[in-house]
Amino acid sequence: MCEASRNYTDGGSLPGADVDPADREKNIFGTTGKATDFFIPESYRRFQRETIEEIESAYEQGFRHVVVDAPTGSGKSHIARALAFQAGDTHILTIQKLLQDQYQSDFPDMYVMKGRNAYECLLGENGTTCAEGPCRLKKRVACDGCPYKLAKARAMSAPVTVHNFDSFYYQNSFGHGFSGRKLIIIDECHNIANKFSEFLSFTINSRGGIDVPEAESIGQYDRFVKDAYAQYADELSRLESQFDVDGLSRENLYRMQELSKIVHRMKRYIMEREKDNPAEYVFDYSTFGRYAPSVTFRPVYVGDYASRWLFEYGERSLMMSATILDKEMFCKEVGLNPSEVYYISVPSTFPAENRPIVKKYAGKMGYRDIDYTLPTLVEYIEEILEKYPGRKGIIQTHSEKIANYLKENMDDPRLTFNKDFDSPQEMLSVHASKEGSIIVASGLREGLDLRGDLSKLQIFCKVPYPSLGDKVVARKLELDP
């Protein structure tokens, strides 16, 4: 196992600033210059230069995949930028659009590509996006100067393009997608397995008159899934024909897009089930919801599909996260051989005494006990905020239930509730300008850049952990205890 273990020292000033590009040596990507030549800040944070050099060394040793496990605040985005522009032909994938916006703000020389719904249609009414414009409702409707198509053309020719995971996957799976590049960088890479699980999971419900049975084993659903697939595929074919001839209403457009995804996933599932050694899935039967009953199928492991699909788009890959935790487990989740992955673990640059963790037990937070604990939780939060009156920070509630309870039972003008705003950017603007602001959010656990004094205090209402009631988690525990 190749794991960084050198004793890092404090970084110095930027090297190579006075080097003529013509004098630079060719590198592993076939361009010229060392990765450090493309590092743009005036000086390095601790461990940044050593990490960049170690990544470059790993590629020179013949490793195709490099994983960097580096803590928040270590400057991973500047490390990524140096390697991205050294390669000069790079895809960067992020999990959230918010992270794309941060890349765009920090590095204007990168091109950010989003999905159709991020671009305003020239032919539609005000507020109509390119995801639902006239050309999406009927075939052969021309749209000269379509903002989405122009953005995609620019993204294809840009030396470094930043994508969000979902748009990159669907653009490449259901349309004229992007070609592979010399380097693919995956930010927050610990989410790879979860994203591919989403891409492969599907739900069959009672819409359209489908009678969803309850079964004891997944094999009992084989005939049912094939019949449902045939019905969905037939409905999709009718909508596609209608699109070609008469056009679609927006409701039918959304239905056609929904069916296109589910038919694609079901076809793969059926093909897997017919193999001698199929990929393992679990199922969840539910009697709740608008189209109940329903049954959802989810893969247990997605590594085989993820590795074949994702890493096709880069001759080399650089994966970065602050929460890898275990190299062997991560490699299994994403379908890579650990011996073929170079792993770098970067220590925290913040002294332990500057980042204490203070436990304050309020009570049990499970389903049966949480209602009894919440009043005590409010009391504790009020005590903490009173102790630190001038500090800005964030309360991570873990669930909407806790966030809603705090909103209903705390009357503190410092609290800035994420759900009160249309976008994270709007919320962050208010947080930055409001004295002593404390963000309250259930889902902003990553991709949030709280620089400087914007987060001097963090309160975690509940430590998140995988639920053993989740069949995927339970099955993984059985297979790998």
Side-chain angles (χ1 to χ4, degrees), residues 252-313:
N252 282 338
L253 169 65
Y254 300 147
R255 179 60 176 167
M256 184 176 74
Q257 293 170 341
E258 177 188 15
L259 286 169
S260 181
K261 293 177 184 178
I262 193 172
V263 165
H264 178 81
R265 298 174 188 186
M266 291 176 73
K267 182 178 181 180
R268 187 181 187 283
Y269 172 83
I270 292 169
M271 292 172 62
E272 279 292 336
R273 292 290 297 166
E274 293 174 347
K275 292 180 179 179
D276 293 334
N277 186 26
E280 190 168 352
Y281 278 70
V282 299
F283 68 93
D284 293 287
Y285 179 83
S286 174
T287 57
F288 298 98
R290 181 180 178 187
Y291 296 111
S294 65
V295 60
T296 299
F297 296 84
R298 294 179 295 147
V300 176
Y301 284 109
V302 298
D304 180 60
Y305 183 69
S307 62
R308 285 187 289 107
W309 191 94
L310 180 60
F311 299 114
E312 283 184 358
Y313 291 96

Side-chain angles (χ1 to χ4, degrees), residues 203-215:
T203 298
I204 303 172
N205 57 40
S206 60
R207 181 174 180 176
I210 295 178
D211 183 16
V212 181
E214 186 173 8

Side-chain angles (χ1 to χ4, degrees), residues 436-453:
S437 173
I438 302 290
I439 297 170
V440 182
S442 62
L444 293 177
R445 290 185 289 272
E446 56 190 78
L448 191 64
D449 190 7
L450 297 174
R451 301 183 183 187
D453 295 330

Side-chain angles (χ1 to χ4, degrees), residues 306-325:
S307 62
R308 285 187 289 107
W309 191 94
L310 180 60
F311 299 114
E312 283 184 358
Y313 291 96
E315 295 174 13
R316 292 175 177 82
S317 75
L318 172 59
M319 292 166 275
M320 311 184 80
S321 172
T323 51
I324 298 296
L325 304 182

Side-chain angles (χ1 to χ4, degrees), residues 17-28:
D18 56 351
V19 176
D20 189 316
D23 295 332
R24 293 173 177 167
E25 296 181 1
K26 274 208 166 184
N27 55 51
I28 195 70

Side-chain angles (χ1 to χ4, degrees), residues 35-149:
T36 49
D37 295 336
F38 299 87
F39 188 81
I40 56 176
E42 292 183 357
S43 62
Y44 290 98
R45 294 182 189 176
R46 195 178 180 197
F47 306 142
Q48 274 185 316
R49 178 174 182 172
E50 292 83 358
T51 302
I52 293 171
E53 291 174 343
E54 185 127 4
I55 294 168
E56 192 172 19
S57 173
Y59 292 141
E60 291 171 350
Q61 293 174 50
F63 287 92
R64 182 186 172 196
H65 307 290
V66 176
V67 174
V68 176
D69 188 359
T72 301
S74 57
K76 291 189 292 293
S77 59
H78 278 285
I79 294 172
R81 187 210 177 274
L83 273 298
F85 278 93
Q86 182 194 33
D89 185 31
T90 304
H91 290 304
I92 298 179
L93 269 61
T94 71
I95 297 301
Q96 299 178 2
K97 295 177 183 177
L98 182 61
L99 277 169
Q100 283 185 289
D101 295 335
Q102 289 179 16
Y103 270 104
Q104 190 169 43
S105 174
D106 292 343
F107 309 117
D109 48 1
M110 293 182 179
Y111 192 84
V112 171
M113 180 69 210
K114 296 183 178 180
R116 288 180 180 272
N117 59 3
Y119 303 90
E120 187 171 352
C121 177
L122 299 177
L123 302 180
E125 300 174 354
N126 288 340
T128 300
T129 72
C130 293
E132 54 187 7
C135 68
R136 301 291 289 166
L137 300 175
K138 188 174 182 179
K139 196 172 183 179
R140 290 182 289 276
V141 173
C143 179
D144 294 332
C146 170
Y148 170 75
K149 291 181 180 178

Side-chain angles (χ1 to χ4, degrees), residues 409-427:
N409 293 275
M410 293 186 69
D411 185 21
D412 188 331
R414 293 175 64 188
L415 299 182
T416 304
F417 289 88
N418 180 51
K419 63 186 303 181
D420 288 345
F421 300 91
D422 293 331
S423 69
Q425 292 85 350
E426 184 182 348
M427 180 272 295

